[in-house]
Structures are given as structure tokens and as C-alpha cells.
Amino acid sequence: MKRLLSLFLLSFCCIFNTHAENKHGPTWGVHGMLLFGNSEGMYVSHLPMFHAPHDYQVVLQIRCLDQKLDAAIKTRLEQKLVLWTMEPEQFEIARLAAYSKTPLKQFKANIVLGHFEQGGKTEYKDVPIVVEKTLIFRQLSPQMRDSKQAIYHQIGRGTQRFLLKEIDSRPDFDHVLAISVPAAAAMADVVVKKTGLQAVSDAEFLLVLQGKVDKRAGVKGTIYLDKADLE
């Protein structure tokens, strides 16, 4: 009788666990993000791959629920151009789409100085993050392909902005730069020539910016450049 009861409980636990695993959709996971910004705004960019559930390029405008912490982190981001990442709790990345029927408005995350998977230091733990706006949401194609130009989207506003590369090839690279422009400068995309996995240098970007956006534009430097996850 005890053995039958044990078998019953084991079967019940297996069924329960399977049900618990299946309650999540296909985009459930830990979606690591690049964190960047300044006093005018804070943003995260999902670190994408070409396989599920990470095959999405997503950029969000965010803020910390705690206003004092929000101001403190923005100050640190503005003070020095270094790598920051975010390790969020698990969620369905599909819920970040603007058309989602169940949009994700808030989540908790560890904020890490450096790369959260490569020895970075957790500076703030379990921080409540508010999603203010989804700026980019697009699923990546797994097909092998090559583009002869790279499109960089301007992120941010005011005089301190960012250029974020659209993932358009396979293999490809993830690239984000910080730039300075006059406050009234156009928010147009920046298009540069592309040769394989070779990113355009800051000096070349400067020439393009000054020629197509504003002659007073400047390049502050690269925040993130990586191709390991986009093979």
C-alpha cells in the first residue's frame, strides 16, 4: 500500500512539474541586456542570438521604480563610458512587443558593472524596473545572409544620444556607440558601408555624422561591440 502511494505521489509530481514547465510560452527565459543612458534617459538592448528564445532585437526605454536609485544609476552611466549589463528575472520577451495583448510593464533585474555572464560585478540587486516604451522589437531571421550596409538607429534625445546597429546579417555583430549632437539635430538613422564583421571606426562614424546629421556632431566612443553571440 505504501509503495502504491509512493508511486502515485511520484506520478502526481511529474505531471505537476510538466504542467508547470509548459505554462510558459516559447520566448520564456533570462534575457540579458545591455544597459546604457544618461541623465536624459535610460535604455536597455536585449543581447540577441539567432536561436530561440533569444532571437529578438529589442530596445526599451526604462526607469527604476525607486526615483533616487534611478537618478543615481543615470548619473553613473553619464559619468563614465563603461559597460553595464542587466540580468533580469525570467519572462516572455514576446510580451515586450508593442502589440502584445499582455504587455510586460515591470520586472526585477540585477544591474551589473561589466558583463553579467563574464565576471561582471552586481552593483544593484533585484531592482524593480519600469518599461516606459518599446523602441525596437523585431524577430531575427536564422537564414545566412550578408548586407553591404549597416543601419544605426539613434536612441535618446537632447545632446547626448546613442547609435545602435540593426542586426541585418548572419553572422553579424552587436554595436552601440555614444554620440554628441546639437539638441535640434535630426533623429534620422545613420547608414554606413559594411564589410563583413568589421565595424566602422569611430573616426569614420564621425565623418558620416558630420556629413549627414550635423557638422557639430561628435563620437564619444563605443559602449558595446560583440559578435560572439551572432554567428
Side-chain angles (χ1 to χ4, degrees), residues 20-228:
E21 291 174 359
N22 291 339
K23 71 179 181 180
H24 303 303
T27 67
W28 176 268
V30 176
H31 299 288
M33 300 177 177
L34 173 71
L35 173 66
F36 58 98
N38 49 43
S39 58
E40 296 176 330
M42 189 157 55
Y43 311 91
V44 288
S45 175
H46 176 234
L47 302 177
M49 302 178 185
F50 283 113
H51 62 77
H54 304 296
D55 51 341
Y56 290 85
Q57 185 169 28
V58 181
V59 180
L60 310 172
Q61 182 173 347
I62 64 164
R63 63 177 171 83
C64 299
L65 187 62
D66 184 309
Q67 293 184 359
K68 290 184 178 179
L69 181 58
D70 185 74
I73 293 175
K74 286 176 178 175
T75 297
R76 293 189 68 178
L77 290 173
E78 190 167 38
Q79 283 176 342
K80 192 175 182 181
L81 204 63
V82 295
L83 177 64
W84 287 84
T85 56
M86 183 178 287
E87 181 185 15
E89 62 184 331
Q90 295 188 81
F91 58 74
E92 292 278 354
I93 199 169
R95 294 181 61 198
L96 294 174
Y99 52 79
S100 173
K101 294 181 180 179
T102 56
L104 183 65
K105 297 296 186 180
Q106 188 172 316
F107 58 85
K108 289 185 178 180
N110 296 332
I111 297 178
V112 180
L113 180 58
H115 198 297
F116 74 98
E117 290 182 324
Q118 299 173 17
K121 180 184 177 184
T122 299
E123 295 285 300
Y124 309 97
K125 191 172 179 62
D126 294 330
V127 177
I129 300 296
V130 177
V131 178
E132 293 192 312
K133 188 176 182 180
T134 297
L135 303 177
I136 297 174
F137 186 94
R138 49 189 295 269
Q139 187 169 15
L140 303 180
S141 168
Q143 301 301 315
M144 303 299 290
R145 61 205 182 281
D146 182 38
S147 177
K148 300 304 180 184
Q149 65 179 20
I151 300 173
Y152 284 76
H153 302 290
Q154 286 196 60
I155 305 295
R157 59 185 182 273
T159 61
Q160 304 299 320
R161 303 179 190 174
F162 305 90
L163 290 179
L164 181 140
K165 183 188 173 301
E166 182 175 303
I167 306 302
D168 56 13
S169 304
R170 185 176 186 185
D172 208 348
F173 57 93
D174 202 353
H175 192 197
V176 180
L177 306 94
I179 63 172
S180 60
V181 294
M187 285 294 297
D189 292 341
V190 177
V191 181
V192 297
K193 291 183 179 179
K194 182 182 177 186
T195 304
L197 299 179
Q198 184 65 42
V200 172
S201 68
D202 289 355
E204 291 174 283
F205 259 113
L206 181 60
L207 292 175
V208 174
L209 279 173
Q210 292 181 342
K212 296 184 177 181
V213 177
D214 193 287
K215 63 182 180 180
R216 295 163 292 178
V219 176
K220 299 178 68 177
T222 291
I223 297 174
Y224 185 71
L225 176 60
D226 182 79
K227 60 184 179 181

